[in-house]
Amino acid sequence: MTQNDTVRGIWLMVATTFVFAVQDGISRHLASEYNVLMVVMIRYWFFAAFVIALSARRRGGVRGVARTEQPLVQGFRGVLLALEICVMVAAFTYLGLVESHAVFVCYPLLVAALSGPVLGETVGWRRWLAIGVGFVGVTIIINPSAGVFSVYALIPLLAASMFALYSLLNRYAARRDTAETSFFWTGTVGCVVMTAIGVWFWEPMTGGDWVWMAALCVTGVTGHYTMIKCYEVAEASAVQPFAYLQMPFAVAIGLVVFGEDLRATVVVGAALIVGAGLFTLWRERQRTRAARRAAQG
């Protein structure tokens, strides 16, 4: 891996986070006008079409990419991500982009906390300390002692928990399946599930909102494509810290486009969460390097 590849990967990750933040803004608009399940269903139609078209170009075609020895794991992954997206889009409508992303950004800490019981990995005291600091930040954001506390503040936390489990299942599935296989099952299973649910909540859309829906689908496909290219040209450990940029991009859209407020407690809490998350990523990188040196020496 060359330095130029790493730099390119970083820029691709920055582009990915920006595209996904724009997608979240469009989702917030559409979900405030139409049923969340219908919006996510249409989004998955285009996602599945993209996945199938991408798989058809691989060696062995769609059938080869879809082949797996763990269909239950792959199927559950697909269902879990589809439901997580529904929960997160619902959070946008109740809390807005600012507070939803400020809480959701804790998911890497949940991944670290659950990696022990789910994957059997060792979680040291430093990572537990970072996890604790991160959840102090979550508590500051949702502020349960305040009179303005709402149960809606727990929705993005639920979404973060679901996405953390999905991320761990990605690592579990990767032990026996390729990334292309997991990606195929994610798109197709999610499409089937959301169609079975969302079709019952169909609402007629205006012509202008169909344009926004098309933009939502295009940003979804574009974001996944740039993310795939990002991990093709650079190591995940080098680009993963830049994934946190999705939060400030989404916050900026929430403030400028939707007129949301930015509370001081959200800033403080989000800073603690991001700091703890970056420390966790740094510790993971250090452990990986140590393991490589031990294997080589």
Side-chain angles (χ1 to χ4, degrees):
M1 188 66 61
T2 65
Q3 180 63 30
N4 287 337
D5 286 332
T6 300
V7 171
R8 184 184 173 198
I10 289 172
W11 281 111
L12 282 168
M13 178 57 79
V14 172
T16 298
T17 58
F18 176 75
V19 170
F20 279 148
V22 172
Q23 178 183 250
D24 289 343
I26 299 173
S27 296
R28 185 194 189 288
H29 162 68
L30 289 173
S32 66
E33 301 292 332
Y34 306 97
N35 188 277
V36 170
L37 298 174
M38 186 191 81
V39 172
V40 177
M41 175 185 67
I42 298 175
R43 170 176 164 179
Y44 257 100
W45 288 349
F46 282 80
F47 182 24
F50 170 68
V51 168
I52 293 171
L54 200 65
S55 300
R57 299 173 58 186
R58 302 292 183 180
R59 180 177 299 179
V62 173
R63 181 175 297 181
V65 172
R67 187 176 297 113
T68 179
E69 297 179 359
Q70 43 188 356
L72 293 180
V73 174
Q74 293 289 10
F76 182 66
R77 282 180 57 260
V79 173
L80 184 63
L81 181 62
L83 296 179
E84 181 274 325
I85 291 174
C86 292
V87 173
M88 193 61 183
V89 174
F92 296 156
T93 64
Y94 288 115
L95 291 178
L97 295 175
V98 174
E99 297 198 20
S100 294
H101 271 281
V103 175
F104 182 80
V105 78
C106 76
Y107 83 85
L109 300 174
L110 288 167
V111 171
L114 294 173
S115 61
V118 176
L119 298 178
E121 298 178 356
T122 301
V123 182
W125 68 269
R126 293 179 183 85
R127 293 172 73 186
W128 279 118
L129 180 61
I131 292 167
V133 170
F135 279 96
V136 168
V138 172
T139 303
I140 291 173
I141 293 172
I142 64 176
N143 199 10
S145 63
V148 296
F149 173 73
S150 169
V151 70
Y152 295 137
L154 300 178
I155 298 177
L157 185 58
L158 173 61
S161 301
M162 296 171 71
F163 192 74
L165 180 56
Y166 167 78
S167 300
L168 288 169
L169 289 174
N170 284 346
R171 287 159 61 175
Y172 181 85
R175 296 173 176 178
R176 300 169 64 182
D177 286 332
T178 64
E180 289 82 3
T181 296
S182 293
F183 194 52
F184 175 86
W185 280 76
T186 298
T188 54
V189 170
C191 178
V192 171
V193 170
M194 289 312 306
T195 300
I197 300 174
V199 71
W200 302 102
F201 297 90
W202 185 267
E203 301 176 47
M205 297 181 65
T206 65
D209 282 335
W210 272 114
V211 174
W212 283 115
M213 181 62 75
L216 177 66
C217 297
V218 170
T219 53
V221 170
T222 303
H224 283 292
Y225 178 77
T226 55
M227 183 171 62
I228 290 170
K229 299 300 293 184
C230 170
Y231 289 122
E232 282 182 358
V233 303
E235 293 183 359
S237 60
V239 299
Q240 195 60 37
F242 293 89
Y244 279 105
L245 288 174
Q246 184 173 347
M247 184 185 70
F249 284 146
V251 167
I253 292 172
L255 295 175
V256 175
V257 178
F258 296 101
E260 299 177 11
D261 296 324
L262 183 60
R263 295 184 290 114
T265 52
V266 171
V267 175
V268 173
L272 287 174
I273 295 169
V274 172
L278 290 174
F279 175 80
T280 302
L281 289 172
W282 176 78
R283 283 293 301 169
E284 185 65 27
R285 192 172 184 179
Q286 294 296 105
R287 292 178 60 192
T288 302
R289 286 179 174 176
R292 287 177 179 173
R293 286 194 297 266
Q296 293 172 354

